[in-house]
Amino acid sequence: MILQQLHMLNFKTYFDCKAVFSEHINLITGHNGAGKTNLLDAIYCLSMTKSAFANSDSNLISHGKNFFSLRADFLKNDKSNVLQYDIVDGKKNISHNKISYSKITDHIGEYPVVLITPYDTDLIRDGSEERRKFFDAIIAQTDKNYLQELIMYNKVLKQRNVLLKWIAEGNSIDNDLIDTYNHELIKKSKIISAVRSKFIEQYIPFFKSCYRHICASTEIPDIQYSSQALELNFATRFKNQTQKDIATQRTSMGIHRDDFVFNLNDKPIKQFGSQGQQKTFVLSLKLAQYEYIKHHKHLKPLLLLDDIFDKLDDERVLNLLSLIAQNTFGQVFITDARPNHNATLVNKLSGNIRIFEVTKGNIKPV
Amino acid sequence: MTYPSRLIEEAVNEISKLPGIGKKSALRLVLHLLKEDADVTHLLCRSLTDLRTNIRYCVICHNISDGEVCNICSGTHRDHSLVCVVEDIRDVMAIENTQQYNGLYHILGGAISPVQRIGPSDLNIESLCTRIQNHNEIKEIILALSTTMEGDTTAFYITKKIKEAFPHILISSIARGVPLGGELEYADEITLGRSIVTRAPYNV
């Protein structure tokens, strides 16, 4: 899959800007605040239908304007496709070859991208919710039914929690109704945890191999999926917990409590890993995401690397660059703020490289 | 929006409370009524007042009815051993229009949803149990509820209640799957997936 051309109108720092990209490596240079990351975000938006950085769609529109429009030519399976994404008067519209999607979520997964940013280490440091979100997004791209189950689970969970509050407010307890929600949550927890567990089994080999490519040392990384729903007597324990749930007004068991534990040499990387090790770990997580999607969709996603060479030692940077140069990945977009650094990068990379310089609102090939 | 008259503003506010009608449509309706004969407005008001004061609900199935018991529940030609449970009066109309069903109905008046403050006691579930108790002829309960999470929860809850109290009653649910006359490729993935999983034997 190749992004051939991109035209941005009123998108963040770009008022009217067109760029033609290399099908292999695109190096985006420019000063801080020039808009390098915004370019990657535009590509991310076209794939995932929402920004990787902005909380709200309206923040994507250039200051003082009332709409934005992104238009891209993609080459996919040897066919060219036109994707257009715009927000006009607060209304979002995405069209594929001039046909608008009736359900925007249908677009997700059609043009996969993998974005690697300096914020990725949040995956290790933040709570379990971030990790579930990360893996759920990968599974959802290859399994639409999973997304549906997950949405339903969250709806049932919300209903049960309101019911618990209701009871705490002194309304009479209808045990049959609690049983109904218990039954639904137990059933769905088992389905979802089975999918997650099967997924992680397939994902780990990709992950370990990516880690070895970046860091050849003897460090042993691992991911453990932990879920109450996989334990014996989960259903009985869930039901026995009901009285306590009523007291605390929240559901204490189920797949919304799952976690993915990241270990390095059998120790949690959150406490014991150095910054560089953590960076290597999340880099491998993301590259494994790439490999997983490539394997399941028979399609090379776009790889977006946002300022990632910070905090990695030279050896790891070299290993990553050689991975890119070997054409393991399809089309790659790399941003970097340090011009003299670029020269070294270019020397290390071979193949079809195009270098761009971003100045306020404009992208120019160098 | 500013209106030339307080009377118009009040009328617009009242009419725009109706579902599907915004301020602009309401203003159009109000101005239309003013243009027509006064009789038109009077007739409209009277029929609405009559509707609200004289409407009755069937004491058995909670359908809208002119008498104490509705036409369906009092119909002698109908199969009194079948009761179809639906959420809403509109569902009764939809099923009646198919002309494929000859049993009775039971209207719940909604689906269980604590988020919207609707609990089992707000629905006609208790009266369904009493109905089964008092009418020995009832043999089968057909659940025809929405395929939403709330509909599924309600179906499960009712099934649990009935199974405990009346184990001899057969409980069924309407089939869910691909619409007739539709091409398979246009069916949405979730429905099609479910149809494959819950496929039925082919009858020649």
Side-chain angles (χ1 to χ4, degrees):
Chain A
M1 199 180 81
I2 307 293
L3 169 61
Q4 296 169 307
Q5 234 191 97
L6 176 67
H7 186 195
M8 298 179 276
L9 273 180
N10 294 343
F11 184 84
K12 289 184 168 177
T13 44
Y14 299 99
F15 292 114
D16 183 354
C17 174
K18 225 179 202 171
V20 179
F21 298 112
S22 151
E23 60 183 41
H24 191 194
I25 297 165
N26 295 279
L27 186 64
I28 322 287
T29 65
H31 296 293
N32 286 337
K36 301 183 295 296
T37 304
N38 289 348
L39 173 64
L40 296 192
D41 203 18
I43 301 171
Y44 187 89
C45 278
L46 280 164
S47 164
M48 303 300 285
T49 77
K50 59 181 180 190
S51 163
F53 305 98
N55 293 326
S56 134
D57 290 333
S58 56
N59 292 347
L60 298 175
I61 303 172
S62 301
H63 190 71
K65 304 286 190 210
N66 57 5
F67 80 100
F68 82 76
S69 175
L70 297 173
R71 193 190 149 94
D73 295 347
F74 275 96
L75 194 68
K76 184 177 159 186
N77 300 330
D78 296 326
K79 270 194 211 133
S80 55
N81 298 277
V82 182
L83 264 185
Q84 184 153 344
Y85 176 168
D86 37 41
I87 293 186
V88 181
D89 296 330
K91 266 187 86 177
K92 191 192 270 201
N93 184 52
I94 299 175
S95 68
H96 181 234
N97 294 331
K98 300 204 168 155
I99 301 166
S100 296
Y101 284 97
S102 52
K103 252 171 52 202
I104 283 176
T105 45
D106 285 347
H107 176 66
I108 299 174
E110 292 298 314
Y111 291 83
V113 301
V114 172
L115 168 70
I116 303 182
T117 80
Y119 304 114
D120 286 343
T121 37
D122 290 351
L123 265 181
I124 292 176
R125 285 194 294 265
D126 282 358
S128 58
E129 191 185 350
E130 290 304 313
R131 290 183 282 283
R132 284 194 302 275
K133 249 196 227 160
F134 171 70
F135 289 114
D136 283 344
I138 305 176
I139 305 173
Q141 290 210 5
T142 52
D143 184 347
K144 290 222 158 96
N145 201 32
Y146 176 77
L147 188 61
Q148 199 61 25
E149 288 287 348
L150 205 60
I151 292 170
M152 286 293 261
Y153 178 88
N154 286 324
K155 279 189 184 166
V156 181
L157 181 65
K158 197 173 159 199
Q159 294 281 16
R160 187 181 189 263
N161 285 340
V162 173
L163 180 68
L164 294 174
K165 261 195 203 103
W166 217 359
I167 294 165
E169 283 166 14
N171 293 292
S172 67
I173 302 172
D174 186 335
N175 282 327
D176 279 338
L177 188 53
I178 293 202
D179 279 353
T180 303
Y181 288 119
N182 287 356
H183 171 86
E184 285 290 316
L185 288 181
I186 291 167
K187 195 173 87 185
K188 292 205 172 352
S189 282
K190 283 186 175 164
I191 295 172
I192 292 168
S193 64
V195 177
R196 282 181 179 169
S197 145
K198 195 177 148 214
F199 159 78
I200 208 76
E201 225 171 81
Q202 295 177 337
Y203 176 87
I204 283 178
F206 289 117
F207 168 72
K208 287 191 170 167
S209 130
C210 288
Y211 198 96
R212 262 197 309 277
H213 271 115
I214 305 171
C215 161
S217 78
T218 51
E219 290 173 3
I220 303 165
D222 202 11
I223 305 169
Q224 266 165 2
Y225 170 52
S226 85
S227 173
Q228 299 159 328
L230 292 177
E231 288 164 19
L232 282 171
N233 309 325
F234 168 67
T236 333
R237 282 181 56 207
F238 191 104
K239 287 177 198 152
N240 291 341
Q241 201 71 12
T242 305
Q243 283 310 317
K244 216 179 130 194
D245 285 356
I246 292 172
T248 54
Q249 296 178 44
R250 41 196 276 273
T251 303
S252 57
M253 291 189 74
I255 51 101
H256 60 290
R257 308 290 302 251
D258 283 4
D259 199 357
F260 295 86
V261 184
F262 297 155
N263 286 327
L264 192 63
N265 302 326
D266 290 327
K267 279 189 211 136
I269 193 162
K270 195 175 186 170
Q271 284 99 350
F272 298 98
S274 73
Q275 287 197 50
Q277 283 173 326
Q278 292 192 354
K279 192 123 191 174
T280 310
F281 200 95
V282 288
L283 200 56
S284 313
L285 284 173
K286 287 288 178 91
L287 295 176
Q289 173 188 0
Y290 185 98
E291 292 295 329
Y292 183 87
I293 294 174
K294 184 172 105 183
H295 181 81
H296 280 84
K297 295 199 97 97
H298 309 290
L299 193 68
K300 284 184 176 177
L302 303 188
L303 185 62
L304 313 176
L305 305 174
D306 186 22
D307 200 13
I308 54 156
F309 299 111
D310 195 32
K311 293 211 179 77
L312 283 182
D313 60 35
D314 286 350
E315 190 200 325
R316 290 177 196 212
V317 171
L318 264 177
N319 288 338
L320 179 63
L321 289 177
S322 73
L323 267 181
I324 293 169
Q326 281 163 21
N327 213 354
T328 318
F329 309 110
Q331 197 180 18
V332 186
F333 294 81
I334 308 170
T335 69
D336 204 292
R338 289 159 295 182
N340 42 356
H341 201 219
N342 294 334
T344 352
L345 283 183
V346 176
N347 288 336
K348 302 271 162 48
L349 295 167
S350 59
N352 187 350
I353 306 181
R354 197 166 297 174
I355 304 171
F356 296 89
E357 197 187 346
V358 178
T359 43
K360 274 280 170 215
N362 230 329
I363 302 171
K364 257 189 249 143
V366 176
Chain B
M1 212 186 293
T2 52
Y3 302 97
S5 140
R6 191 179 50 80
L7 292 170
I8 287 191
E9 186 176 351
E10 268 171 26
V12 165
N13 283 342
E14 289 309 312
I15 293 179
S16 62
K17 282 179 190 164
L18 298 175
I21 298 195
K23 292 253 156 139
K24 277 195 177 158
S25 308
L27 181 64
R28 225 179 81 212
L29 295 174
V30 167
L31 294 176
H32 172 81
L33 286 174
L34 286 178
K35 216 189 277 171
E36 296 287 309
D37 282 350
D39 277 356
V40 174
T41 312
H42 291 150
L43 269 174
L44 176 68
C45 291
R46 182 147 25 102
S47 68
L48 289 178
T49 318
D50 281 355
L51 170 77
R52 202 67 194 94
T53 43
N54 297 335
I55 197 87
R56 294 172 76 177
Y57 293 91
C58 172
V59 291
I60 301 173
C61 71
H62 310 281
N63 195 0
I64 286 173
S65 160
D66 291 334
E68 188 167 314
V69 177
C70 72
N71 293 337
I72 297 176
C73 288
S74 56
T76 46
H77 58 285
R78 303 210 60 129
D79 185 346
H80 285 242
S81 68
L82 287 176
V83 174
C84 178
V85 178
V86 294
E87 285 175 27
D88 196 274
I89 285 155
R90 279 174 298 175
D91 301 332
V92 173
M93 294 181 192
I95 297 176
E96 279 297 283
N97 280 336
T98 66
Q99 301 188 337
Q100 297 293 315
Y101 179 64
N102 196 33
L104 307 180
Y105 293 94
H106 193 88
I107 295 150
L108 296 176
I112 299 171
S113 172
V115 171
Q116 292 165 283
R117 296 249 134 201
I118 304 171
S121 55
D122 300 308
L123 304 172
N124 299 317
I125 294 175
E126 195 58 52
S127 76
L128 176 64
C129 294
T130 336
R131 188 174 170 186
I132 298 171
Q133 177 103 54
N134 296 341
H135 292 81
N136 281 327
E137 66 273 20
I138 297 176
K139 297 212 162 54
E140 181 175 348
I141 297 290
I142 305 166
L143 300 171
L145 303 173
S146 318
T147 54
T148 56
M149 185 247 120
E150 288 79 13
D152 285 347
T153 307
T154 313
F156 187 87
Y157 178 81
I158 291 175
T159 309
K160 203 169 154 62
K161 283 272 181 218
I162 296 176
K163 266 202 176 144
E164 269 167 25
F166 315 101
H168 60 283
I169 296 274
L170 177 69
I171 303 173
S172 59
S173 162
I174 51 167
R176 291 154 177 198
V178 182
L180 280 187
E183 286 180 43
L184 223 49
E185 58 172 323
Y186 294 120
D188 77 282
E189 288 163 30
I190 308 292
T191 309
L192 190 56
R194 194 166 165 163
S195 310
I196 289 280
V197 175
T198 61
R199 62 191 178 274
Y202 190 79
N203 295 320
V204 187

